[in-house]
Amino acid sequence: MVPRHVGPLQLAGDEAEVLDTTEGLDDPRLTPVRRDLQPYGPILVRRVAVGDSPDALVVAHPDHRADLEVLEHELAPAIEAVSTVWGTGWNRAPVVVVAGTPTEFTALTRSAGLAAGTDVAAVSLTGSYPPGTEPTDQRIVFNPDARRRVGSEGLATLLRHELTHVATRAVTTDGAPLWMLEGYAEYVAQRA
């Protein structure tokens, strides 16, 4: 029996080729991302300094360089905006991924146990973690069409919204009222 797979069969150790840089390839947060994105082609990676936290990472395919540049430029101010409201006791070094195709977006969100449709602009994903501890394997995955739909300013707002979910995840639970989770994230995103 062979599991269903969206792209070509992936062998253990296969990782997406990183273009334009060799800096930071040893970052352990990048390994699972490169593995997940390998079937979809080479990627670009940008490190974003965020104060005294480890660097955040922004990842996209070459066809989405414009999205990568907007998110790279907006990430540090967005983290600061969320920290102004929430405080700094959260994972301020997220991994932000722009999917290259709707198929890739669906595969990346489904692999995290979430069935996000292609009408969703972005999703924050959290790996499994023991209750009462800070989630460590957190990613924000953007739909490849998000910037076209909402523009660069809207993409920055969407980034603040998803970062709020990352910040609050350690103290919220599955099944919490949607109005509270989404309402608070929207408040922080639109606050400025």
Side-chain angles (χ1 to χ4, degrees), residues 45-83:
V45 177
R46 299 293 182 266
R47 298 175 73 79
V48 178
V50 187
D52 58 351
S53 295
D55 292 347
L57 299 175
V58 183
V59 180
H61 296 286
D63 290 348
H64 291 275
R65 186 181 298 267
D67 300 325
L68 176 112
E69 290 170 355
V70 168
L71 291 168
E72 178 184 18
H73 176 73
E74 294 293 337
L75 188 54
I79 289 170
E80 185 58 37
V82 172
S83 295

Side-chain angles (χ1 to χ4, degrees), residues 122-135:
V123 177
S124 27
L125 307 173
T126 304
S128 59
Y129 60 97
T133 63
E134 181 70 24

Side-chain angles (χ1 to χ4, degrees), residues 16-33:
E17 176 186 7
V18 177
L19 305 176
D20 293 350
T21 188
T22 57
E23 181 184 339
L25 294 184
D26 57 345
D27 189 318
R29 296 171 301 157
L30 191 55
T31 301
V33 173

Side-chain angles (χ1 to χ4, degrees), residues 34 37 39 42 69-70 88 102 119 129 132 141 189:
R34 288 180 67 192
L37 298 181
E69 290 170 355
V70 168
T88 59
D119 57 326
Y129 60 97
V141 180

Side-chain angles (χ1 to χ4, degrees), residues 76-94:
I79 289 170
E80 185 58 37
V82 172
S83 295
T84 297
V85 179
W86 187 255
T88 59
W90 59 285
N91 176 13
R92 296 173 1 124

